[in-house]
Amino acid sequence: MTPREQTIERPTSVWPWITMGVAGTVTFIASMAVGPDAVQGQLSRIMYVHVPAAWLAYLAFFVTMAASAMYLWRKDLAWDRRAASSAEIGVVFTGLAIGLGMIWAKPTWGVWWTWDARLTLTAIMFFVYLGYLALRRTTTDLNARAKRSAILGVLAVVQVPLVHFSVVWWRTLHQPPTLLKPEPIDMDTSMLVTLGIAVVSFTVMYVAMMFKRIELARLEDEITEMQQTADVPIAGEAVTAPALERGA
Amino acid sequence: MIENPPVARLDGVSVRAGNVQILRDIDLTIDPGDALGVFGANGAGKTTILRVLATLQPTATGSVEVLGADATADERFTVRPRIGYIGHVPALYPELTLAENLGFFARSRGLDESVAASALADVGLAGAADRRADRCSHGMQRRAEFARILVSSPVFLLLDEPHSALDADAVDLVDAIVHRTVDQGGAAVLVSHDRARVRSLATRTVEIEGGILR
Amino acid sequence: MIENPPVARLDGVSVRAGNVQILRDIDLTIDPGDALGVFGANGAGKTTILRVLATLQPTATGSVEVLGADATADERFTVRPRIGYIGHVPALYPELTLAENLGFFARSRGLDESVAASALADVGLAGAADRRADRCSHGMQRRAEFARILVSSPVFLLLDEPHSALDADAVDLVDAIVHRTVDQGGAAVLVSHDRARVRSLATRTVEIEGGILR
Amino acid sequence: MIGFGSQAALIARRDILRERRSGEVLWVTLPFGAIALLLVPLAVGTDAPMLRQIGPGIFWVVVMLFGVFISIRQTSSETDAQRDQLALSGLDPAAVYFGRALASFLFLLGFQLVLGFVTVVLYDISLEGWLILPLTFVIVAAGLSLLGTLAAGIVATGQNAAALVPLLVAPLSIPLLIGATQALEALQLGRSSLTWVLMMIVTVIVLAIAGVLSAQPLQETR
Amino acid sequence: MIGFGSQAALIARRDILRERRSGEVLWVTLPFGAIALLLVPLAVGTDAPMLRQIGPGIFWVVVMLFGVFISIRQTSSETDAQRDQLALSGLDPAAVYFGRALASFLFLLGFQLVLGFVTVVLYDISLEGWLILPLTFVIVAAGLSLLGTLAAGIVATGQNAAALVPLLVAPLSIPLLIGATQALEALQLGRSSLTWVLMMIVTVIVLAIAGVLSAQPLQETR
Ligand code: HEM
Ligand SMILES: Nc1ncnc2c1ncn2[C@@H]1O[C@H](COP(=O)(O)OP(=O)(O)OP(=O)(O)O)[C@@H](O)[C@H]1O
Ligand SMILES: Nc1ncnc2c1ncn2[C@@H]1O[C@H](COP(=O)(O)OP(=O)(O)OP(=O)(O)O)[C@@H](O)[C@H]1O
Ligand SMILES: [Mg+2]
Ligand SMILES: [Mg+2]
């Protein structure tokens, strides 16, 4: 078998980068434009990143779940790439929410971290999806990898409702839901609008990142595929005829 | 009269595991009535070829068709119960008696446990039916594997070193099972290092060397 | 010149397990230079006799003397390292590579790991030394067991179906090992169903039938 | 071919028979669970009101851990040869999954009953609202056996995959645990435990679906 | 023949290598232990002072249970063929026992360190008097690995003997547990923890003697 000449085209699309930049800028301007909170002062501006980051992590993990289910149904590796890309972005957003939360916690609660159901469960969510990404590195066979991670991708999503409702179930330090709850919303309109803008911008950013990441994932898979059809040693050639009677 | 479709056809099949290639570009057709002997050195890939034919081994390239079903598609599940595979290592549950092992197998095929009992008697193990599998000698366990074949009467036999560990009487049993399957229009593949015995049993033989069929 | 003491002597040995009797009143003497072939039906007790000779199987009655030691007394621990036993099932650690498996064995005898490497080369497995044992074919695992014998050069060889699973090249290896051991004044016991091959190798043969030696 | 239910029953019968012969749950896991319950008061101090408070929680944690262990051990002791033959048997992988889970379910129920008794004795638990317990026991046993069987299927597909097990077990056992502890507490506080029971039921359903969907791919990988 | 120490080291190296390949402790047992610690607060309620009180105790119970499990699993996965060859190898059964225990001891130390860290974070434990901890960790790891290895030896001799395991584990793990929890507490209350440390050391010595005496008979039975 002669090694085949194969090349991979370079990714060229730039618009996702532009979109991400614009969305980031919009979030920044909006959070600076709104007045400081009555109680929390300037600190409250953290919220416009902390909260959308957490929500977009939720969205990303739901997309991972849906794409994983689609993979299990259709056995199409494209769905696997979507699931993985979304999980990776979700991990970034979760990390952002945790990091900002910790920065926020130090001045308000006096500690970086504490025993709190939401904090703990958010951390578990973070680690479970980090584990999802680590798991993908343990196998090189694309289909086996896709199957395993799809199973995890579907099941891990139960984390999301757990994190969301944890503040209701264990009444502890963290803020209970102010927006995503059955009762009417009681929040300053300007803050609400700013939060809305931030959430929309984050969503746009998520979509743009998804496009870029999926493109990259496709190229990675192509490279893996090429490596796997490349020539490798024959297993049976490791075995030779025994050398009888050495020296004796 | 139309020609019979082949029992199995491999077309350009290769198998990889880790960073080695086990099988390369295997083309092989097995027709009804064939008893194919497969020879080759240790580690050449004989067991792997049997597992490919049993639809148990994922392949890297090529197409595998077994009993009319594409082995990479879901169709393989419908033909599997008609395949009889005996590997190097007995597949019995050690804590269960031989009768319980065979009974489990029979019932999984929708058959009665009495079928299992008579199969055990046919391989000469009636007296040991209530002995736990892990308290049976190695040859007795191999015999019990052949009883499994008698229970399900598969049309496609895949036997990995069928004569090893069996005493003279039991060896004849293997030959009888192969003959019966082949005579009824099935096919058998026999992997072995005992060329003399398999040559007398097989309708044709192939040699596998470093993952390539010769 | 005084006569050489026997390598092993069984005297009225019987073995029971649960509520069955596996061996009955076995008398057997194995002298230096003997290569004893043991034949018999499946389940007759051949493996059990090997384990008795390896001092691994507790006996119900009779006396067992191996390499001058009483096998029921603590003396057996001192002679065990000079016994080479290969059973039905390979005793390799599946997660370790062949080199690591043999290296462990060599070091347990106080030998260097290079001895293990050259033993692997001698059985034709130099190329697979770094392959995990559970990724080696059945025959390769059997070969690795014989490499163990080459590492420790035991004076008393106990081989259970030594030729099974080995290809034509490797089968000669077994014969060479047996010849070497016997020529150097050791002894070998070969349990097998392949009467022709063992007859040509053995200096004498016995038949075991329902736990009784004939 | 035999029906789905008979297939599952066949597998369950096989597993129960194997356990009866090996006695692993009975002689190793069950005593370990009981020892765990015994050690906690020795370790945290024998403060009666505090023990009464933490008793049910500790009980559920022990059930959870050992429960998953029981179901994992049950399945992952299968050899490659046995797996091959099972794949060739034509039994529906989903039926095999349910059959295995069914056997573990029965072991787990027994395990819960024994340990529950031990807990009540050792921790002096009030049994007010206990009528919810049989329901909780059944749901938790179902959830854990489905979870453990799924995890075991993953372990059996090769060593790399073993890393999946804790990842699956952590997120999925939490809703079961929370549901189990809160259902009784809610009732004792005079509130409805419906939400908790529903949450557990949803988890069990999710697990059953996941098990069914993954049964075939897991059987075919190794 | 090689010396006793080298024999034990050889066996320990083998076990460590096998674990490195299979990753069972790293990927299955360790995460399970961490999950256990995490589940307890969710199950017993998130009452910070109470958690601070029960934290160390829960930690030791988890270490105890998983510790014995780790050492049992390590040994009882051996096949009959492997056991036969080990018996023929001429290695001293007592050296084999210590070698196995040594490997488990190292796993257990790592296990304790990771879980200890998790406990401190989750339960907000005061580390006053922590200087006693390294000593306690080492003694407990030694005791549990000796105990688990002994139990595994019994399990490996055949099914009937397995019933003995709980009888062995319960009475011998209790002094270790009490010693471990009380040693730190005594120190924190300004009292001497010598008695407790001595009690643990005596247990370890008893276990070592029991292991040495039983090693050869256990190797020869099956
Ligand atoms: C390490 C610490 C923290 C973590 C891991 C964390 C995590 C989260 C998560 C996951 C959410 C999304 C909840 C949902 O809507 O389901 C959230 C929302 C929120 N967090 Fe945090 N947080 C942390 C610290 C803080 C701090 C210190 C504050 C302010 C004092 C804060 C205020 C909020 C607010 C106001 C929301 C929006 C609640 C809603 O409207 O639903 N967080 N946090
Ligand atoms: N614990 C036990 N309980 C009952 N029967 C047993 C037990 N252990 C061994 N046996 C029986 O002892 C007999 C002898 O076994 P052994 O393995 O020695 O046979 P063998 O001659 O080597 O047979 P083979 O040719 O099949 O290898 C067998 O019939 C076996 O079933
Ligand atoms: N996962 C793996 N990684 C590396 N090599 C592997 C793997 N699986 C199998 N092999 C190799 O594939 C080759 C073929 O194995 P196979 O069992 O088919 O041989 P075989 O012809 O049946 O040999 P034998 O006569 O010894 O039974 C062997 O050299 C084996 O070591
Ligand atoms: Mg083979
Ligand atoms: Mg035998």
Side-chain angles (χ1 to χ4, degrees), chain B residues 97-127:
Chain B
T97 65
L98 294 183
E100 287 162 352
N101 265 294
L102 268 287
F104 170 74
F105 181 77
R107 296 197 40 188
S108 76
R109 305 294 161 113
L111 299 168
D112 199 73
E113 296 198 6
S114 63
V115 183
S118 78
L120 273 178
D122 287 345
V123 300
L125 289 176

Side-chain angles (χ1 to χ4, degrees), chain B residues 46-47 88 160-161 191, chain C residues 137-139:
Chain B
K46 303 179 297 300
T47 297
H88 281 294
D160 211 345
E161 303 189 34
V191 164
Chain C
S137 77
H138 194 234

Side-chain angles (χ1 to χ4, degrees), chain B:
Chain B
M1 228 174 99
I2 48 160
E3 220 183 299
N4 278 336
V7 173
R9 179 169 20 219
L10 306 189
D11 202 0
V13 167
S14 63
V15 171
R16 302 169 66 103
N19 49 1
V20 292
Q21 181 137 19
I22 302 179
L23 295 180
R24 269 191 297 183
D25 266 331
I26 306 276
D27 297 319
L28 180 68
T29 307
I30 298 164
D31 290 313
D34 269 358
L36 178 73
V38 179
F39 302 137
N42 288 140
K46 303 179 297 300
T47 297
T48 310
I49 252 188
L50 277 195
R51 295 191 78 248
V52 168
L53 289 169
T55 75
L56 292 171
Q57 171 74 51
T59 53
T61 62
S63 73
V64 181
E65 196 193 299
V66 177
L67 295 169
D70 176 356
T72 57
D74 278 0
E75 307 159 28
R76 69 179 181 280
F77 295 111
T78 59
V79 300
R80 279 187 179 172
R82 288 191 286 143
I83 299 173
Y85 170 55
I86 295 188
H88 281 294
V89 187
L92 304 169
Y93 298 108
E95 306 90 350
L96 304 190
T97 65
L98 294 183
E100 287 162 352
N101 265 294
L102 268 287
F104 170 74
F105 181 77
R107 296 197 40 188
S108 76
R109 305 294 161 113
L111 299 168
D112 199 73
E113 296 198 6
S114 63
V115 183
S118 78
L120 273 178
D122 287 345
V123 300
L125 289 176
D130 294 328
R131 199 172 287 179
R132 278 172 59 144
D134 58 359
R135 293 183 185 153
C136 288
S137 77
H138 195 233
M140 290 163 74
Q141 295 185 28
R142 296 276 307 175
R143 284 184 183 210
E145 297 275 291
F146 281 96
R148 244 195 8 235
I149 300 284
L150 292 178
V151 166
S152 63
S153 304
V155 297
F156 190 25
L157 275 187
L158 301 164
L159 307 180
D160 211 345
E161 303 189 34
H163 301 105
S164 88
L166 296 178
D167 63 20
D169 294 340
V171 159
D172 294 341
L173 172 86
V174 176
D175 296 0
I177 290 177
V178 171
H179 281 306
R180 202 178 65 181
T181 308
V182 169
D183 291 347
Q184 289 171 354
V189 181
L190 309 159
V191 164
S192 185
H193 297 294
D194 192 343
R195 283 164 196 251
R197 205 189 304 269
V198 166
R199 280 228 178 81
S200 72
L201 189 61
T203 56
R204 69 194 173 101
T205 65
V206 293
E207 187 88 24
I208 179 161
E209 213 184 295
I212 303 178
L213 218 58
R214 305 213 177 268

